Amino acid sequence: MKPNIMHLVVILLIGVVLISGCTSTGSPAKAPTTTQPYQVTFQEFDLLCLGTGGDREFVIRTQSDYQHFIDISPDLHPNPFLPCVDYEFPVIDFSQMSLLGKSVTGGGCSFEVKKEVLRNDNERTVTYSITSIFTGTCEKAIHNNNFILVPKIPEDYTVKFEVSSISDLL
């Protein structure tokens, strides 16, 4: 072959490869899904003006749910005569986030809390695990509300709470 024909063939082959590599099936690429639970990042969320809330579990996904929570908050305060009437509840963007909370109580001189959030898209669940480690033989009561913000949880997902505690009597 002559050099001009060889160049033409190479250019045509490159053109065919480029054109065929740029074709689309018409559907956008989907993010990979996993069948295993995966960890979800969370942000600690301190609600300073609440009592224990008892054994209640809080799953708040909407502004309406949050307003109901704010309305019942005086009932959650340890001293019903001193509700936090001047407390400003923080603003939450419920289009992006959900609020979870679970109270933990125990006794000791000090304590540490370990938290983990797992999401399982196959089972449509979010599991919030809280492990409290109470240390020492003090008779002091210790309480923690464990409120966290997580990425928006769809309405059709179930939220599970797993709470465990360890007493280290040192």
Side-chain angles (χ1 to χ4, degrees), residues 29-43:
K30 292 184 178 179
T33 57
T34 177
T35 58
Q36 298 296 316
Y38 57 93
Q39 275 193 323
V40 174
T41 58
F42 61 87
Q43 174 185 345

Side-chain angles (χ1 to χ4, degrees), residues 60-72:
I60 302 173
R61 301 177 212 222
T62 66
Q63 185 62 43
S64 170
D65 291 344
Y66 191 45
Q67 186 58 54
H68 175 72
F69 174 74
I70 291 169
D71 292 344
I72 67 165

Side-chain angles (χ1 to χ4, degrees), residues 47-119:
L47 292 171
L48 301 174
C49 193
L50 291 181
T52 65
D55 287 332
R56 296 177 72 172
E57 299 169 343
F58 297 97
V59 179
I60 302 173
R61 301 177 212 222
T62 66
Q63 185 62 43
S64 170
D65 291 344
Y66 191 45
Q67 186 58 54
H68 175 72
F69 174 74
I70 291 169
D71 292 344
I72 67 165
S73 66
D75 297 335
L76 304 175
H77 198 276
N79 186 342
F81 299 107
L82 298 173
C84 301
V85 292
D86 294 332
Y87 181 71
E88 293 274 336
F89 280 81
V91 174
I92 299 172
D93 180 0
F94 287 103
S95 69
Q96 301 292 316
M97 307 299 284
S98 294
L99 178 65
L100 303 178
K102 173 68 177 154
S103 295
V104 173
T105 56
C109 301
S110 64
F111 80 109
E112 173 186 356
V113 178
K114 295 183 180 181
K115 302 173 188 175
E116 180 182 56
V117 179
L118 295 176
R119 180 172 166 151

Side-chain angles (χ1 to χ4, degrees), residues 107-110 133-139 166-170:
C109 301
S110 64
I133 304 165
F134 298 95
T135 306
T137 58
C138 303
E139 294 184 21
I166 300 168
S167 293
D168 187 0
L169 301 179
L170 287 182

Side-chain angles (χ1 to χ4, degrees), residues 112-129:
E112 173 186 356
V113 178
K114 295 183 180 181
K115 302 173 188 175
E116 180 182 56
V117 179
L118 295 176
R119 180 172 166 151
N120 186 322
D121 292 323
N122 274 356
E123 295 180 5
R124 297 184 142 350
T125 60
V126 172
T127 304
Y128 180 18
S129 299

